[in-house]
Amino acid sequence: MFIATLIASERLSAGDISAALDHVRSAGGRPVGSDWLEDGIACDIRFDGDAVAVRAALEDVVAGVDVIVQVEAERRRKMLVADMDSTMITIECIDELADYAGIKPQIAEITERAMRGELDFEGALDARVALLKGLDASVIDRCHAERVVIMGGARELVRTMRANGADCYLVSGGFTAFADRVGEEIGFTRALSNILEIVDGKLAGTVARPIVGASTKRETLLAEAAAHGIAPEACLAVGDGANDIPMIQAAGLGVAYHAKPKTAAAAGARVDHCDLTALLYAQGYARREWVI
């Protein structure tokens, strides 16, 4: 049995659900019931049939509505592995550091291309960090205070999952100077990220090895799952960039969050309209169950 969860960024009507049921049937699925998780916001449709075909039929049927299709029995995930920049926070930290150095457009272009999978992540990271050489390290604290904004739903997602026994890991291609604080503020079990090297109070223009990149994200998910006796299929992974694809594909529920096209195409689920609370509804958590 599969379950399709429809989550609205604004409102979801009974008519929308009726239309969705018609699309399930048109894709060869057999609906066996629908239930509101949250009136007017999130609804589950249970069905038998081809989950891939049903997902394709349901996506974009209703404007402003995200659809997540999965095996019903596996929907409550036992572990979360998440990206940070543009996923758990609203910014790309390296771009904002570059803004203080007066070179944001130059670095942001490289970031965008790397996240779209057009450039090698590690090479692109080295190139961008090299351009920050000589920037006063005090700018890191200033950037954190002035620019870092937690993504909508991030706290609720992590805190609710942890309250229900799931460990949550923040694995970022960004920097410990941000990720450690973000991870603590949101409530992650642990954060793993890259170390910006500093010499005499200034950025050295280098990143300590080994770099946390795409392979590290995937390996962390698999290693932590194994350490906890959890199958990767019981894990949730979420990110937006190309370096998140291996992690997303290793998880039972891999979600592309407001993602770049390559990442969205590779993921088994997408969140394009809603905030991160969509991932709570996808797991069957009604609002009354959220930990804030």
Side-chain angles (χ1 to χ4, degrees):
M1 182 72 65
F2 295 101
I3 191 163
T5 307
L6 282 64
I7 311 116
S9 57
E10 295 184 3
R11 296 295 296 174
L12 191 62
S13 71
D16 294 330
I17 302 305
S18 178
L21 288 167
D22 288 342
H23 278 79
V24 171
R25 296 184 187 98
S26 72
R30 184 177 67 86
V32 295
S34 63
D35 300 288
W36 286 101
L37 265 171
E38 204 74 47
D39 286 348
I41 298 294
C43 185
D44 288 333
I45 296 175
R46 291 170 176 80
F47 69 93
D48 288 321
D50 185 336
V52 175
V54 169
R55 177 193 172 201
L58 287 177
E59 285 183 335
D60 302 320
V61 165
V62 184
V65 171
D66 291 311
V67 179
I68 296 179
V69 177
Q70 59 192 312
V71 176
E72 181 179 12
E74 299 172 355
R75 73 184 309 194
R76 287 277 172 112
R77 303 294 161 170
K78 298 178 181 178
M79 181 176 291
L80 168 68
V81 181
D83 175 45
M84 181 177 71
D85 294 67
S86 298
T87 303
M88 289 290 143
I89 61 176
T90 62
I91 64 167
E92 293 285 337
C93 290
I94 194 167
D95 294 355
E96 301 309 314
L97 287 176
D99 198 24
Y100 289 100
I103 55 172
K104 183 174 181 177
Q106 183 177 351
I107 283 186
E109 180 184 2
I110 301 173
T111 300
E112 177 68 14
R113 292 185 64 197
M115 292 301 98
R116 293 176 70 91
E118 297 170 2
L119 299 174
D120 170 71
F121 176 79
E122 293 192 11
L125 181 63
D126 282 335
R128 287 174 290 164
V129 171
L131 294 173
L132 296 176
K133 184 177 181 178
L135 185 65
D136 197 295
S138 65
V139 168
I140 293 172
D141 288 339
R142 182 181 171 191
C143 183
H144 178 269
E146 295 178 351
R147 305 287 178 92
V148 172
V149 177
I150 303 300
M151 188 69 72
R155 292 181 181 89
E156 293 92 332
L157 173 63
V158 171
R159 294 173 185 181
T160 301
M161 289 187 69
R162 291 203 66 187
N164 284 273
D167 280 308
C168 299
Y169 298 94
L170 184 66
V171 187
S172 171
F175 308 119
T176 56
F178 297 98
D180 288 354
R181 287 182 280 193
V182 167
E184 183 177 358
E185 181 176 352
I186 294 175
F188 279 90
T189 307
R190 182 166 67 91
L192 177 65
S193 57
N194 292 303
I195 299 172
L196 271 176
E197 296 184 313
I198 297 171
V199 177
D200 297 329
K202 297 185 182 298
L203 299 192
T206 53
V207 180
R209 262 45 185 180
I211 284 179
V212 175
S215 61
T216 307
K217 294 188 177 201
R218 180 179 182 275
E219 289 162 8
T220 298
L221 185 151
L222 296 176
E224 292 295 346
H228 289 81
I230 297 169
E233 290 76 17
C235 298
L236 165 63
V238 58
D240 73 301
N243 62 324
D244 296 312
I245 291 174
M247 169 183 80
I248 286 171
Q249 292 184 328
L253 179 59
V255 181
Y257 181 75
H258 295 262
K260 303 298 184 286
K262 186 174 182 178
T263 311
R270 302 196 321 260
V271 173
D272 296 328
H273 308 291
C274 301
D275 68 15
L276 288 165
T277 58
L279 301 185
L280 287 174
Y281 287 127
Q283 294 180 79
Y285 290 106
R287 189 183 297 268
R288 65 181 178 277
E289 299 177 86
W290 299 355
V291 177
I292 299 174

